[in-house]
Amino acid sequence: MNEIAIKVDQVSKIFGGLTAVNQVNLEIPQKTIYSIIGPNGAGKTTLFNCISGFYVPEKGKILYFGQEIQGLSTDLIASVGISRTYQNIRLFSNLTALENIMIGLHPKFRSNWVDAIVHSPRYLREDKETKQEAIRLLNFVGLAGYGDYLAFNLPYGVQRRLEIGRALANQPRILLLDEPTAGMNMQETQSTTEFIKKLRDDLGITIILIEHDMQVVMGISDRISVLDYGTKIAEGNAAEVQSNPKVIEAYLGPGGAALAEKFQKQRRSNVKSH
Amino acid sequence: MNRQEFQKFSQHGLVFAIIMIFLVLVDFQTMFATVISKILGTNVLRGGLPEVQYMVIFLVLYSLWMGWFISRKEENKSRRIIMTLVASLTAGVVVGLFGLILNSLIQSGTDVRRYLAALSPESMKLFLLNLDGLGPLALLGVFTVSGLLGGVLSIILQSPSVGKWPKTIKTGISSTWQKFTGSLPPFIRKNAKYLAYLVLGIVIIVLPTRWGSYNNFVTGLVGLYIILGIGLNIIVGLSGQLVLGFAAFFAMGAYSMALLNAPLPHGLMWGFWPALLVGVLMAVVAAILLGLPMMRLRGDYLAIVTLGFGEIIRILLKSDLLSDFSGGPRGIQDIKGPTIFGLPFNNDVQFTYLIIAGVILAIFVYNRLENSRTGRAWLAIKEDAIAARATGINVQRNKLLALCIGAAFAGLAGAFFAARNQFTGPNDHTLMVSINILSIVIVGGMNSIPGIILGAFTLKGLPEILREMENYRLLVFGGLLVFMMIARPEGLWPAKRPQLEKKIKPDTRDGDTPGKGDKNE
Amino acid sequence: MQSKETSTPQIKRSKLPKQIRQGFGIIVLLLILWRLYLVFGVEQEYTVDIWARLLISGLVIGGVYSLIAIGYTLVYGILRMINFAHGEVMMVGTFAGYLVLEATKSITVPTPDNSLLSFSNAYPIISVILAFAIGMLIAATTGYFLEKIAYRPLRKAPRLIPLISAIGASIFLQNFAQLLFSPQTRDYVNPDIISRGAGWTMMINDSKVILPYTGVLTFVLSILLMIGLYTMIKKTKLGKAMRSVAMDKQTAALMGIDVNVIISRTFIISGALAGAAGVMWGLHNGLVYYFVGFLPGIKAFTAAVMGGIGNIPGAMLGGMLLGLMESLGPTALGISYQLKDVISFVILIVILIFRPNGILGEALSEEKV
């Protein structure tokens, strides 16, 4: 069994009277792709915001390799190795693609403003490294040649890739992807899925994924949790989750499980009759 | 042409007529005619009026512009003519009616200057082209004819054969330029950049000694505002914090210099350089004191707090509370200049050198910072503070850093300013100063050094040179700001993002750097 | 399975900035309390009648500030921009009221007793109403054209651009007024019965305290206008449309609201309020010159921020608070009256330290991820 990369322990987040995340427990092993699914408004993004430090949960703990990180500032959490992307892309849109990645490299280096003014040896070394590393990452996410475009001029799919590239820049150990294939066509979705797999297999990054495209989720997830109204209602691998009646009900409404079974039977009989 | 269109066109004319009437109410037309007269070689005595032909030229130019402006977007030529005719006729009639009113005022001998200060009988007469009763008719004629002419002119200028002219001229110039550079020896071609710097350097060294103290005074002022503009640009342009009280930091520098290097009120006389250092440090301290509690505020809140801070500093300096310490409203006089290697720096020429050195330092520091790790962090914060935080940037610390460095520049400029004028008082540090600096940055082009230099020359240099406009300076300045923001919001010389991907050497691009398994594409 | 990077970086917690911030605020608060203790507890130099006078002038100024602050807040709520030229709109109103009163003063309506009786003294109520009506009308027109010329083309521009445009418009209007009316300071000509200084006399502690007629007029009228505006925003169709545009322009447009018209009307309303404030300012303080709108404008903006910009009750509260602080503050803290502006700005800073969105302001959705 892998080490636990992120442990979410009884976390609750309350906005006014609304409990957006309600006593959720998750254990996410290292080097896995872990998906969080659920209907709209189930509290998935809120949970991401708690992990990446935008929100401080009212109750519970979040452990990153055994260390508590809830309540830490976002920049600190990012610099220890938890990177993320956003549901609606948040690039630095008036900067070039390459600069976006260079900004992502920020926590990796130490040179400060004095170094920059006097061009100290540390600055010169780090500056060279920054540029080369940025170019390497640009190639890695498949955006060679796009480097000098302003980010807002890039096509949608490329912007998503770039956002992942920026998130990868500080060599994260955990990557939170918020709907990475939203708005993509089949082909783009396919290549993004492959890419995410590669991140896990080649770079050994733990990936936590929010996704609505069930084909993507079922195809690449090592483990899946289902949230509904802020509560975790199911956990398991793809097959387990798919057959869980609670999950089906959450998606299709009360009585959904029976409905789904009926449809499945129908489909089976259709297949047989063919 | 139907009635609606007729109404629309005459409305266009009406707008221009109303603008004209407002201009006359503040006697703008006389100033403009004076400027035209000066350009054409006839100087007008101070307080005197220009000759009548220059007023005619002004009116003709105005209505030509009107005709061109109204019709420039219409495709159909005949419609264009009708359009300008209707509009110019309307404008002419309205201005003519206004002229009738003016004429009756002159005839009846009422002095309206108690309420409308600018309307002197002489300038009204001049506006009526010294024709008295026929004046309104003449105005109608001038507006209609030259308005129509403007419309015709716009047709000619936009016709395909003429429309190519700018392009032809452009390519002509660039090809000649290429021929010229091609004929140069290779040594010069290779080192063109350095040679250009050399020429610039010689100009900078020679010019101040040649062109008299007034020009040096103006250059020095522009230079100070360039330093201030660069400082504020670090805060507003790079890190995206709207600061409206930048003059407070300027005051810190100026007053440190004044208190430490003037005989009164304390008689400290530390010398210029230590005082300069203290001035910069004091500005930074002020920035920290302001920044620490306020760094978390949203943009507009920060704007009003910094504005308030600027006012607090100014009011404190002016108040009786500190008058023993800082001279109160009278300010501090006899501030001593620096000495370098025993040579005293007292006149404008020497100060110009000093300020130019300051400008070069500021540009140098700015350039190094902008394209560094710190500079990128600032830009990221400006673009999206939340995403910046999530990429591991400490937003508050970096914002505070930007504020401090910007303030340090202001402190430097303030110290120079006080020593150069040998005087500083609370009125040198008003809100208007802060607004001027902000305007320089935005009108010139944010994050663009050439833009800021250009902005400082346009907004501080030009008004100093165009003395005729003295009274109208701020009016024109305000109007220009609005116009610039509408017509060219990116500034006179907009910044470009660096194109890095091309520049980085190809051998590093596909290098198999170890670490991550890079088997992609 | 052991990975080679099991050692996670050590995480250091630091929460210093927040403590520094609040510490700063607490120090200032303690200083203020200490001064208050000295003035009230130890020195006791000032008697009740002095406080009554200061309270009256504070309430009057506060009413004017509130009216102007509402203008800032209305525009900010809808366009998310600081209408920097708002103070100048007020100045235009002051001048318009001045000209009306001058005109009514110069017209004579002879009566048997007095052959030189001027219109403004014969019919003071009508002339004051006329001054307010025309002042509000001209200021509202100025606001309308200001929006149309200087702000509307910049609707989609980045935030700084309209601000600079507003600053430009402010400078333009100021200098236009200066050139038009000359830089001299003029006296407002009140009708005789509400001349400045006249008022009900009260005896407090055996000393006369005057409750000036202009002050009462100003205060009552500003309260009435505020109530009117508030009901309009809450009850009428236009108010509803304004609120919806403030919330989300696009959705409002989809619901069939003409956003441009609503924005124009917002500027007209805020201009009219500023015009009324301008005439009040003139009647009560008595001076009119081209710079008259600048300081009240800045103060009112401060008041709007203090109350939470975008929030109408906040602007009213902030205006009143600022007026009172300005008037009572210097005496209460025992410092020079020259420093009243310092007091208001320091209080603003302290308020923003503890409530970064103003007293009644709510956190805007900007921070939402």
Side-chain angles (χ1 to χ4, degrees):
Chain A
M1 186 62 198
N2 278 346
E3 201 183 340
I4 301 299
I6 284 275
K7 183 174 168 158
V8 175
D9 188 9
Q10 292 287 322
V11 164
S12 297
K13 175 72 202 168
I14 300 154
F15 294 111
L18 177 83
T19 311
V21 174
N22 189 7
Q23 300 187 334
V24 169
N25 286 313
L26 298 175
E27 280 193 0
I28 297 161
Q30 214 185 345
K31 293 177 189 170
T32 52
I33 296 178
Y34 194 104
S35 290
I36 299 172
I37 60 172
N40 284 328
K44 305 175 301 259
T45 301
T46 310
L47 188 63
F48 262 31
N49 287 341
C50 289
I51 296 175
S52 55
F54 287 132
Y55 297 154
V56 181
E58 267 79 21
K59 281 179 226 150
K61 289 178 193 162
I62 297 168
L63 301 170
Y64 169 64
F65 291 101
Q67 298 181 71
E68 281 184 32
I69 57 165
Q70 80 278 6
L72 288 182
S73 66
T74 309
D75 50 298
L76 201 58
I77 291 177
S79 58
V80 297
I82 301 178
S83 282
R84 68 169 294 176
T85 67
Y86 304 84
Q87 196 172 344
N88 17 20
I89 306 172
R90 293 189 90 134
L91 288 166
F92 306 118
S93 38
N94 289 310
L95 304 181
T96 65
L98 198 65
E99 282 178 309
N100 268 278
I101 292 184
M102 285 162 105
I103 290 166
L105 288 161
H106 184 90
K108 260 186 80 176
F109 297 107
R110 294 270 77 80
S111 66
N112 58 24
W113 61 281
V114 181
D115 292 317
I117 292 173
V118 301
H119 272 192
S120 69
R122 173 164 78 167
Y123 172 82
L124 291 174
R125 189 187 69 235
E126 289 190 355
D127 190 54
K128 198 172 161 214
E129 262 181 68
T130 308
K131 283 175 180 154
Q132 293 181 356
E133 182 70 17
I135 291 278
R136 210 185 56 73
L137 267 163
L138 199 70
N139 290 344
F140 179 71
V141 294
L143 299 186
Y146 282 112
D148 289 340
Y149 285 78
L150 295 185
F152 73 90
N153 279 335
L154 294 171
Y156 184 78
V158 175
Q159 289 193 12
R160 284 234 177 258
R161 272 294 175 93
L162 179 59
E163 211 187 14
I164 297 178
R166 183 182 70 188
L168 286 175
N170 70 336
Q171 291 175 333
R173 303 177 67 183
I174 293 170
L175 184 59
L176 311 173
L177 297 176
D178 199 342
E179 299 194 26
T181 67
M184 287 185 172
N185 62 27
M186 282 252 281
Q187 207 184 348
E188 286 170 327
T189 305
Q190 183 69 31
S191 84
T192 305
T193 316
E194 289 305 312
F195 182 69
I196 294 171
K197 264 189 197 162
K198 212 172 70 155
L199 293 180
R200 174 194 59 185
D201 300 339
D202 296 356
L203 303 183
I205 296 175
T206 312
I207 288 156
I208 312 177
L209 187 72
I210 292 177
E211 186 53 72
H212 280 299
D213 186 332
M214 284 307 142
Q215 253 175 339
V216 174
V217 173
M218 299 307 162
I220 60 173
S221 308
D222 298 309
R223 223 172 154 69
I224 299 168
S225 267
V226 188
L227 292 190
D228 190 25
Y229 291 111
T231 335
K232 188 171 88 173
I233 55 171
E235 187 179 0
N237 59 27
E240 287 164 6
V241 168
Q242 266 173 320
S243 56
N244 189 322
K246 269 192 189 165
V247 177
I248 298 163
E249 221 157 89
Y251 273 91
L252 298 179
L259 207 68
E261 210 165 313
K262 201 173 119 194
F263 274 121
Q264 242 159 21
K265 262 184 201 158
Q266 229 167 30
R267 208 164 75 190
R268 259 179 242 136
S269 61
N270 280 352
V271 171
K272 267 178 205 164
S273 66
H274 270 284
Chain B
M1 192 173 66
N2 57 31
R3 219 180 117 181
Q4 256 184 345
E5 275 180 334
F6 184 81
Q7 265 179 358
K8 207 176 100 192
F9 299 158
S10 50
Q11 258 175 24
H12 285 312
L14 192 64
V15 169
F16 276 84
I18 289 173
I19 294 175
M20 189 71 225
I21 289 171
F22 272 108
L23 291 183
V24 173
L25 285 179
V26 296
D27 206 22
F28 193 84
Q29 83 285 8
T30 311
M31 184 277 292
F32 220 98
T34 313
V35 171
I36 293 173
S37 156
K38 193 187 173 189
I39 291 170
L40 295 182
T42 324
N43 258 324
V44 180
L45 287 176
R46 226 178 158 65
L49 292 173
E51 287 176 48
V52 70
Q53 62 262 39
Y54 301 114
M55 180 59 70
V56 177
I57 294 178
F58 166 69
L59 291 175
V60 168
L61 284 178
Y62 181 83
S63 24
L64 275 178
W65 173 60
M66 170 182 77
W68 172 79
F69 189 88
I70 288 171
S71 66
R72 87 212 128 102
K73 278 191 181 145
E74 175 63 50
E75 295 286 325
N76 188 331
K77 276 181 201 169
S78 53
R79 264 175 65 88
R80 237 178 187 183
I81 296 289
I82 297 170
M83 227 168 139
T84 37
L85 186 66
V86 172
S88 331
L89 211 61
T90 321
V93 168
V94 175
V95 174
L97 284 175
F98 179 66
L100 270 181
I101 298 172
L102 289 186
N103 191 38
S104 64
L105 279 178
I106 299 172
Q107 298 305 332
S108 67
T110 11
D111 192 3
V112 286
R113 273 184 290 182
R114 163 139 174 62
Y115 298 108
L116 301 171
L119 274 188
S120 71
E122 292 79 27
S123 69
M124 283 196 275
K125 259 194 185 135
L126 185 68
F127 178 66
L128 294 173
L129 307 175
N130 292 345
L131 289 173
D132 296 335
L134 288 177
L137 268 182
L139 286 175
L140 171 66
V142 168
F143 265 79
T144 318
V145 173
S146 39
L148 199 60
L149 223 67
V152 175
L153 213 64
S154 80
I155 295 175
I156 297 171
L157 282 179
Q158 285 177 11
S159 69
S161 56
V162 183
K164 270 188 250 153
W165 282 2
K167 214 177 168 187
T168 330
I169 294 168
K170 226 176 176 178
T171 47
I173 289 172
S174 71
S175 72
T176 334
W177 177 248
Q178 264 168 10
K179 257 186 218 157
F180 170 69
T181 51
S183 66
L184 292 171
F187 167 76
I188 294 178
R189 247 184 297 161
K190 248 184 224 161
N191 298 309
K193 200 169 123 192
Y194 301 103
L195 280 172
Y197 282 137
L198 193 71
V199 172
L200 190 69
I202 291 169
V203 168
I204 286 173
I205 289 168
V206 172
L207 215 51
T209 61
R210 297 276 156 196
W211 67 358
S213 79
Y214 183 68
N215 281 334
N216 274 323
F217 172 76
V218 175
T219 318
L221 191 70
V222 171
L224 286 175
Y225 271 86
I226 293 174
I227 301 177
L228 287 167
I230 291 173
L232 185 64
N233 186 60
I234 291 178
I235 303 173
V236 179
L238 290 182
S239 77
Q241 308 171 74
L242 182 51
V243 167
L244 286 182
F246 200 56
F249 307 127
F250 184 59
M252 286 288 168
Y255 266 87
S256 302
M257 175 59 76
L259 294 172
L260 297 178
N261 204 22
L264 283 170
H266 303 298
L268 285 172
M269 306 306 285
W270 281 19
F272 177 84
W273 300 106
L276 179 73
L277 195 69
V278 173
V280 172
L281 282 180
M282 284 307 293
V284 172
V285 168
I288 293 174
L289 279 181
L290 173 70
L292 270 184
M294 288 298 134
M295 220 65 309
R296 248 167 48 103
L297 291 181
R298 258 191 13 239
D300 306 316
Y301 285 68
L302 188 73
I304 182 67
V305 167
T306 51
L307 186 153
F309 179 71
E311 288 295 286
I312 289 175
I313 298 283
R314 190 181 62 82
I315 295 167
L316 282 179
L317 288 174
K318 205 175 180 175
S319 70
D320 297 335
L321 190 72
L322 291 180
S323 72
D324 289 340
F325 176 72
S326 67
R330 276 167 295 115
I332 299 171
Q333 289 162 2
D334 296 329
I335 303 161
K336 290 282 165 292
T339 48
I340 298 175
F341 307 123
L343 286 167
F345 266 54
N346 284 325
N347 59 30
D348 275 326
V349 178
Q350 290 159 331
F351 250 108
T352 309
Y353 287 132
L354 196 64
I355 289 169
I356 289 174
V359 169
I360 292 172
L361 176 77
I363 294 176
F364 174 79
V365 170
Y366 177 86
N367 275 340
R368 288 233 155 148
L369 283 176
E370 191 196 4
N371 293 314
S372 72
R373 177 171 175 265
T374 317
R376 282 190 294 272
W378 286 336
L379 284 169
I381 292 168
K382 181 193 175 193
E383 288 287 319
D384 185 341
I386 290 164
R389 199 174 291 146
T391 44
I393 293 167
N394 187 328
V395 171
Q396 288 181 39
R397 188 185 299 160
N398 277 295
K399 273 180 161 180
L400 191 62
L401 178 66
L403 193 67
C404 289
I405 294 178
F409 279 124
L412 182 79
F416 279 169
F417 177 81
R420 189 181 74 132
N421 290 3
Q422 300 175 7
F423 168 80
T424 194
N427 290 340
D428 291 338
H429 312 287
T430 54
L431 179 61
M432 206 48 214
V433 174
S434 308
I435 287 175
N436 263 326
I437 304 167
L438 185 64
S439 309
I440 284 172
V441 173
I442 302 207
V443 168
M446 256 208 273
N447 295 350
S448 148
I449 293 290
I452 291 169
I453 295 174
L454 200 60
F457 269 104
T458 346
L459 297 187
K460 288 311 289 186
L462 268 188
E464 293 290 338
I465 292 164
L466 291 176
R467 283 267 133 167
E468 280 73 25
M469 293 181 61
E470 215 169 10
N471 296 331
Y472 300 89
R473 210 164 75 181
L474 285 169
L475 183 81
V476 173
F477 174 64
L480 207 69
L481 278 186
V482 176
F483 176 75
M484 270 285 302
M485 290 306 101
I486 294 165
R488 204 176 160 79
E490 71 276 22
L492 292 170
W493 191 319
K496 285 202 181 85
R497 295 312 308 155
Q499 305 286 298
L500 289 173
E501 193 182 6
K502 286 177 218 144
K503 279 189 196 154
I504 297 166
K505 287 174 207 122
D507 58 76
T508 61
R509 291 194 45 158
D510 40 24
D512 283 41
T513 23
K516 292 180 178 180
D518 185 0
K519 303 160 205 159
N520 191 39
E521 271 97 6
Chain C
M1 200 171 97
Q2 201 68 11
S3 92
K4 56 179 176 181
E5 333 134 346
T6 32
S7 62
T8 42
Q10 276 306 306
I11 302 170
K12 283 178 246 153
R13 281 167 194 263
S14 80
K15 277 199 168 175
L16 212 56
K18 196 178 174 191
Q19 282 160 4
I20 289 176
R21 202 165 53 238
Q22 303 213 332
F24 184 88
I26 288 166
I27 288 172
V28 175
L29 268 187
L30 286 178
L31 271 176
I32 291 174
L33 287 177
W34 175 66
R35 283 304 311 187
L36 283 177
Y37 168 72
L38 278 188
V39 170
F40 286 97
V42 182
E43 291 168 6
Q44 291 186 332
E45 203 180 298
Y46 304 103
T47 44
V48 183
D49 55 308
I50 293 176
W51 292 115
R53 275 184 210 130
L54 292 174
L55 188 72
I56 291 167
S57 82
L59 283 174
V60 173
I61 296 290
V64 177
Y65 284 165
S66 298
L67 279 187
I68 311 174
I70 288 172
Y72 274 109
T73 262
L74 280 177
V75 169
Y76 189 89
I78 284 195
L79 285 181
R80 295 273 176 279
M81 72 163 277
I82 304 168
N83 180 9
F84 213 85
H86 196 59
E88 272 55 55
V89 175
M90 172 204 150
M91 177 268 290
V92 170
T94 319
F95 265 110
Y98 164 76
L99 290 177
V100 170
L101 286 178
E102 281 274 311
T104 53
K105 187 89 180 177
S106 65
I107 299 170
T108 47
V109 245
T111 54
D113 327 332
N114 186 350
S115 61
L116 286 173
L117 186 65
S118 67
F119 184 85
S120 71
N121 283 336
Y123 308 102
I125 296 175
I126 296 178
S127 27
V128 167
I129 288 177
L130 213 61
F132 271 105
I134 292 184
M136 286 168 84
L137 184 75
I138 302 274
T141 319
T142 312
Y144 171 77
F145 281 109
L146 182 70
E147 191 268 336
K148 203 163 174 184
I149 295 167
Y151 305 152
R152 187 171 294 180
L154 306 173
R155 206 54 73 63
K156 292 199 177 81
R159 231 192 43 210
L160 266 176
I161 303 296
L163 179 76
I164 295 292
S165 183
I167 289 173
S170 159
I171 296 173
F172 181 87
L173 285 173
Q174 253 173 38
N175 285 281
F176 194 81
Q178 186 199 1
L179 290 166
L180 198 61
F181 300 113
S182 86
Q184 60 165 303
T185 306
R186 296 147 186 270
D187 283 331
Y188 231 70
V189 276
N190 293 12
D192 285 343
I193 59 157
I194 57 160
S195 62
R196 279 176 300 285
W200 291 285
T201 315
M202 298 181 293
M203 297 301 283
I204 299 176
N205 268 6
D206 293 333
S207 81
K208 261 202 270 182
V209 175
I210 293 173
L211 185 61
Y213 297 133
T214 51
V216 175
L217 174 74
T218 299
F219 186 72
V220 171
L221 195 60
S222 60
I223 297 286
L224 285 180
L225 281 171
M226 280 189 255
I227 292 172
L229 177 89
Y230 199 70
T231 16
M232 195 218 74
I233 296 279
K234 286 283 168 212
K235 296 271 153 70
T236 65
K237 214 173 156 188
L238 174 64
K240 226 180 254 177
M242 279 167 71
R243 277 183 291 151
S244 70
V245 172
M247 226 169 258
D248 187 339
K249 280 201 241 344
Q250 270 179 340
T251 313
L254 287 176
M255 297 296 120
I257 294 169
D258 189 337
V259 176
N260 277 336
V261 170
I262 298 299
I263 291 174
S264 276
R265 289 195 184 155
T266 310
F267 271 85
I268 289 173
I269 291 168
S270 70
L273 292 178
V279 179
M280 290 172 192
W281 187 270
L283 284 174
H284 188 67
N285 288 355
L287 293 179
V288 51
Y289 56 111
Y290 72 99
F291 218 58
V292 75
F294 184 74
L295 265 185
I298 299 234
K299 295 287 183 48
F301 178 36
T302 311
V305 170
M306 210 182 262
I309 197 159
N311 182 315
I312 292 169
M316 299 175 189
L317 183 71
M320 283 294 171
L321 212 61
L322 194 76
L324 287 174
M325 268 176 340
E326 228 184 78
S327 167
L328 296 171
T331 315
L333 298 178
I335 53 179
S336 154
Y337 201 66
Q338 283 177 324
L339 298 179
K340 64 181 168 107
D341 297 348
V342 173
I343 296 174
S344 20
F345 284 124
V346 168
I347 300 270
L348 170 80
I349 291 176
V350 172
I351 286 176
L352 289 182
I353 285 173
F354 292 105
R355 287 199 60 94
N357 291 301
I359 302 171
L360 297 181
E362 285 162 34
L364 290 178
S365 54
E366 208 173 73
E367 281 285 329
K368 230 168 92 182
V369 184

